Amino acid sequence: MTFGGAMEFSGLQKNRSFYMPELPSALQKKAMQLRYGDPTAVPDLSDAQAISRSFPLTYGQRLVHFLSSSFGIRDSQFLTEHPVMRIGVVFCGRQSPGGHNIIYGLYDAIKTHNRRSTLIGFCGGTEGLFEQKTIEITENIVLAYRNQGGYGMLGRTKDQIRTTEQVHAALNTCQTLDLDGLVIIGGVTSHTDAAQLAETFAELKCQTKVVGVPVTLYGDLKNQFVEANVGFDTICKVNAQLISNLCTDALSAEKYYYFIRLMGRTASHVALECALQCNPNMVILSEEVASSKLTLFDITKRICDAVEARAEQGKYHGVILLPEGLIESIPEVHALLQEIHGLYRKGVSVDKIASQLSPWASALFEFLPSFIKEELLLSPDSDESAPLSQIETEKLLAQLVEIEMDTRLRSGRYKGKKFNSICHFFGYQARGSLPSKFDCDYAYVLGHVSYYLLIAGCNGYMATVTNLKDDVSKWRCGGAPLTAMMTVKRLHGPRVSLIGKPSIHPAAIDLTGKAYEMMLHDAEKLLMDDLYRNPGPLQFEGPGSDSKTISLTVEEKDYIGKIKELQDYLDKVKKIVKPGCSQEILKVALSSMACFINILSLMSSHTTEGHSL
C-alpha cells in the first residue's frame, strides 16, 4: 500500500477538504501562555502505591493549562522558544473519523512556529514504528487528507507496544531518527502502552517525549480529564441515521422487529447515545445486564414480554439496540467464554474444546444454536478477549425470542401474529465516514495541543480539551499525566487475591449519570408508543452541523473548570484569613476547614473500601 498518496475525491470530499477547523482563543496566540497546576493523584488512593512504584519517574506530574487570557496570571509562563523539532506520529488501534485532522493540527502548529521542524509519520501503525517505516509529512499530504475519514494517510496494523521487544524497538526507532517527540493516536490500550513507553524513555534518558491523543470510536476513553474521544460524535451520528431509517421502515411495514448490534466491547456508549438520538423501542446495555446479573433467559423473557405487550396494542414491529459486548456481560456466557479461552491457552485444539468443558458449561454450550457455538470457539483477539465483532448476539436473541414466542403461541398465552425479525450489525459502516464538524475541530485542536505539550517538555501526558459542550472559542486546552488516569483492578476470591497491572481502563456507562437517567425516564413511552426520531444524515454546514452528542451536552463534565473554581475559592480563603485577621474569622475558618477535611477523609476511605471489594 502507498501511504500519503493522492486520493480520488467526490464533490463532497472536495468541499470538506476546504473546511478550515476552528481553534479556541487559547491557541490563537503566537506566544503560548501556560500554567502548571497541582501535582496529580489517582482516582483511588489505594492504587497510588502500585502506580507510583510502576511509574516512579512519570507519576504525580502536574496538570498543564493553556491560558486564553493575555494578562499576567500568577505562576504562568510563556512558550516563546520554538527550536527545530523532529516529531513522530503513529496511528494505534482501530480507525476512527477525525484521525487525519490530528496530524493536520500537529503539522500546522509545528510549521507555524518553525518551518525547519519536521513531522514524521510511521506507516502501518506500531509495526511501522518498530520497523522504522516512515514518510515525511508535507503540506501536500495534510491538505490531501484534511477533514477526510479513515487512516489512509499512514494506515495501521498492530495495536500494541507492550512486550519488552516492542518497547525497545520503539526506543531504537526514536533514538535512530533523533525524535524530540512521539505522538500516539489511539484508545485505552494504546495509552496504557504510551504511559509505559514514556516511563521507559525517561528511565533510559531518551530525549523523546511521549504524548497521547484520545481517539476511539467506542467512546470509552473517558475520565475526569477526558470528556470525549475523537470519532465518537461521527460514529453515533452516522449510526443514528441508519437506525432511524430502520425505525421508519419498521413503522411502515408493521411486521418486523429489527435487532441491531452496535460497536461497544466493554462499554455501551455508542448504543446509549444512538438510543438517545433515535428513540428505539428498547436498548439493552451491557452495564445493565452485568449490574443486575441478568441471564440469557432473563433477557429473552424481557424482550418477549415487550413483544407480547405491544401485540396487545396491535403492534407487531419494533427496534431493539444491543452493544456487541452484551454477550460477554451475561454471567453464564462470560463464564463459558472464560473456560473456552482457558482451554485455548492450554493448547487444546478447537475440535476438542467442546468435549473438555465442565458439565455445566457443556450443557450451556449444547443448548446454544450451532452458529453461536462456532463463533464462541473462534480464536481470542490479540488481547485474549473474545472476538466480539464476530459473535452474532443479535441473531442469538432473535432466535431465542422467536422460539419463546412460538411456545407462548402454542400454549395460548400469546394470541397475536407470528414473531418476525431482521438482524443487523453496524460495526464498520460508520468508522470510515467523513468526520463531523465537531470531530474535525476537536481533532485539529488536539493536534495543536500535542505540539505545545512537547515544546513544554511534557512526557507521559495526554492532550486534553474540556468544556466541549460550549462553543469552540470557549474550549479549555491542556494536558494531563497518563498515570493520573490509571487504576488497578483487584480480584478477590476465597483463596487468592489478584492485583492487576496499573492500566487505563475503559469507562463504563454511569448508571447514575444524567444520560442514562434521561434514557430511563422515557423508557416505557418509547417501548409502547413508537416515538421514533430521525436526526437525518450527517450535516457539515447549516442547521444541525454544530450539534453534539446528547450524552456530552447533558453531563456535567468540566472537571478542569471545577478544579480551577476550587483553587479560586482556596485563594480567596488565603486572602481573607491572614495574620492579623479577627479571632472570629479565624475561629470560623478553622471550624469550617476541620469539618470539610473530615467529610473528604470519610469519602476517600469509603471509595477505597468500595474499590477493594
Side-chain angles (χ1 to χ4, degrees):
M1 177 178 176
T2 302
F3 296 105
M7 297 187 295
E8 186 68 28
F9 278 180
S10 68
L12 178 60
Q13 284 177 298
K14 290 178 182 177
N15 180 272
R16 289 307 295 156
S17 71
F18 296 134
Y19 172 68
M20 293 297 298
E22 300 178 51
L23 283 175
S25 56
L27 303 184
Q28 293 180 10
K29 300 174 293 185
K30 288 188 177 180
M32 184 59 53
Q33 188 177 11
L34 67 84
R35 179 177 181 271
Y36 288 99
D38 292 330
T40 52
V42 289
D44 191 320
L45 294 179
S46 66
D47 296 338
Q49 185 176 1
I51 297 172
S52 62
R53 187 167 55 242
S54 297
F55 298 89
L57 300 177
T58 54
Y59 176 78
Q61 298 188 96
R62 296 175 178 272
L63 289 178
V64 175
H65 309 279
F66 296 114
L67 306 175
S68 57
S69 172
S70 58
F71 299 103
I73 295 179
R74 183 170 56 85
D75 299 331
S76 68
Q77 64 185 71
F78 287 89
L79 295 176
T80 55
E81 298 295 325
H82 293 272
V84 175
M85 297 276 284
R86 288 176 58 81
I87 297 174
V89 60
V90 59
F91 284 130
C92 297
R94 292 161 177 81
Q95 54 269 33
S96 192
H100 286 141
N101 270 33
I102 294 169
I103 298 179
Y104 169 42
L106 180 58
Y107 177 87
D108 257 14
I110 289 172
K111 293 298 184 179
T112 295
H113 293 289
N114 195 319
R115 298 297 299 179
R116 292 182 297 158
S117 292
T118 305
L119 181 59
I120 297 169
F122 290 100
C123 303
T126 53
E127 189 174 279
L129 173 65
F130 304 146
E131 299 178 6
Q132 300 183 32
K133 298 177 181 177
T134 66
I135 60 170
E136 180 178 342
I137 295 175
T138 64
E139 184 175 9
N140 286 339
I141 291 176
V142 295
L143 292 181
Y145 288 88
R146 179 170 63 187
N147 307 319
Q148 304 302 311
Y151 278 3
M153 182 195 292
L154 298 177
R156 57 158 291 266
T157 50
K158 296 177 182 177
D159 301 338
Q160 297 177 352
I161 315 173
R162 186 162 303 166
T163 66
T164 302
E165 292 76 15
Q166 289 171 337
V167 170
H168 281 94
L171 172 67
N172 180 58
T173 292
C174 292
Q175 290 177 327
T176 301
L177 298 178
D178 196 27
L179 296 184
D180 299 291
L182 176 64
V183 176
I184 292 178
I185 298 172
V188 173
T189 300
S190 302
H191 282 92
T192 297
D193 295 344
Q196 184 58 64
L197 205 61
E199 181 69 24
T200 302
F201 284 10
E203 180 184 351
L204 299 177
K205 295 183 169 37
C206 174
Q207 72 176 21
T208 309
K209 309 300 182 187
V210 179
V211 166
V213 182
V215 180
T216 171
L217 54 89
Y218 301 124
D220 59 1
L221 179 45
K222 296 170 73 174
N223 51 55
Q224 61 269 47
F225 307 109
V226 182
E227 294 181 1
N229 306 145
V230 173
F232 182 74
D233 185 87
T234 305
I235 291 289
C236 292
K237 287 174 179 174
V238 173
N239 278 329
Q241 186 204 358
L242 298 175
I243 295 165
S244 61
N245 289 349
L246 292 179
C247 288
T248 301
D249 187 79
L251 189 60
S252 301
E254 296 186 304
K255 60 181 179 180
Y256 298 118
Y257 273 86
Y258 285 101
F259 285 70
I260 304 170
R261 178 165 53 106
L262 298 164
M263 297 292 265
R265 297 178 65 82
T266 57
S268 311
H269 296 287
V270 175
L272 174 59
E273 177 60 32
C274 288
L276 293 174
Q277 292 194 27
C278 302
N279 292 347
N281 299 103
M282 182 181 289
V283 57
I284 301 174
L285 305 179
S286 300
E287 291 84 350
E288 291 178 309
V289 172
S291 175
S292 301
K293 294 182 172 55
L294 299 180
T295 65
L296 199 54
F297 172 79
D298 294 329
I299 298 170
T300 302
K301 182 178 181 300
R302 177 183 289 187
I303 298 173
C304 288
D305 290 347
V307 170
E308 190 172 319
R310 285 176 60 79
E312 291 174 0
Q313 293 189 7
K315 296 179 179 180
Y316 296 96
H317 63 276
V319 178
I320 302 170
L321 303 188
L322 315 165
E324 64 177 347
L326 177 65
I327 189 75
E328 206 171 31
S329 67
I330 301 170
E332 69 271 29
V333 181
H334 175 73
L336 172 60
L337 282 167
Q338 292 293 99
E339 276 204 31
I340 291 172
H341 293 170
L343 292 171
Y344 258 116
R345 287 191 292 273
K346 292 178 181 178
V348 178
S349 60
V350 175
D351 58 324
K352 294 182 179 179
I353 285 179
S355 65
Q356 296 193 31
L357 292 171
S358 63
W360 76 265
S362 180
L364 173 60
F365 187 76
E366 290 305 316
F367 163 77
L368 296 170
S370 58
F371 72 92
I372 285 291
K373 291 180 185 178
E374 293 176 7
E375 291 164 0
L376 292 180
L377 291 176
L378 291 171
S379 299
D381 287 341
S382 58
D383 60 356
E384 297 188 354
S385 64
L388 297 177
S389 64
Q390 300 179 65
I391 300 176
E392 297 170 298
T393 312
E394 73 282 12
K395 290 185 179 180
L396 170 63
L397 287 177
Q399 184 169 320
L400 293 178
V401 169
E402 182 176 358
I403 293 170
E404 173 62 18
M405 293 310 298
D406 284 346
T407 301
R408 294 186 184 189
L409 185 62
R410 288 194 301 272
S411 69
R413 171 180 169 178
Y414 172 62
K415 298 178 173 57
K417 297 179 182 178
K418 180 175 173 57
F419 172 83
N420 292 300
S421 65
I422 298 177
C423 298
H424 291 276
F425 172 42
F426 293 160
Y428 307 101
Q429 294 87 337
R431 71 182 192 182
S433 170
L434 290 172
S436 65
K437 182 179 181 298
F438 174 84
D439 277 329
C440 286
D441 292 338
Y442 185 32
Y444 182 69
V445 171
L446 284 168
H448 277 74
V449 173
S450 301
Y451 168 74
Y452 292 120
L453 288 174
L454 292 173
I455 278 290
C458 297
N459 180 41
Y461 275 71
M462 184 181 290
T464 62
V465 181
T466 59
N467 205 34
L468 289 171
K469 64 182 181 181
D470 281 347
D471 184 75
V472 176
S473 63
K474 298 178 181 178
W475 288 358
R476 296 190 182 97
C477 304
L482 293 169
T483 55
M485 306 174 190
M486 288 185 164
T487 53
V488 178
K489 285 191 174 180
R490 291 171 171 81
L491 296 176
H492 295 286
R495 297 181 181 177
V496 65
S497 179
L498 299 176
I499 300 178
K501 293 182 179 180
S503 300
I504 299 174
H505 292 105
I509 294 287
D510 182 2
L511 298 182
T512 63
K514 291 185 178 180
Y516 180 71
E517 289 178 358
M518 186 176 179
M519 186 197 78
L520 281 186
H521 183 267
D522 296 324
E524 190 63 31
K525 287 183 179 179
L526 298 180
L527 175 63
M528 302 304 298
D529 296 345
D530 296 344
L531 302 175
Y532 303 138
R533 178 176 179 270
N534 194 327
L538 191 61
Q539 299 296 305
F540 300 112
E541 298 176 359
S545 61
D546 290 321
S547 67
K548 298 171 184 176
T549 56
I550 296 173
S551 50
L552 175 65
T553 57
V554 301
E555 294 286 2
E556 297 291 338
K557 293 291 185 182
D558 189 14
Y559 182 85
I560 300 298
K562 291 174 182 175
I563 286 285
K564 183 179 181 303
E565 186 178 356
L566 175 62
Q567 292 293 342
D568 290 341
Y569 277 121
L570 293 176
D571 288 342
K572 289 177 181 178
V573 171
K574 289 180 180 179
K575 288 180 180 179
I576 296 172
V577 187
K578 289 183 177 180
C581 68
S582 69
Q583 288 278 9
E584 289 77 11
I585 289 177
L586 182 59
K587 183 177 179 180
V588 170
L590 285 172
S591 175
S592 300
M593 283 296 181
C595 180
F596 182 56
I597 293 299
N598 287 337
I599 292 172
L600 292 180
S601 299
L602 186 62
M603 292 177 66
S604 296
S605 64
H606 282 177
T607 301
T608 301
E609 289 169 7
H611 190 275
S612 63
L613 293 178

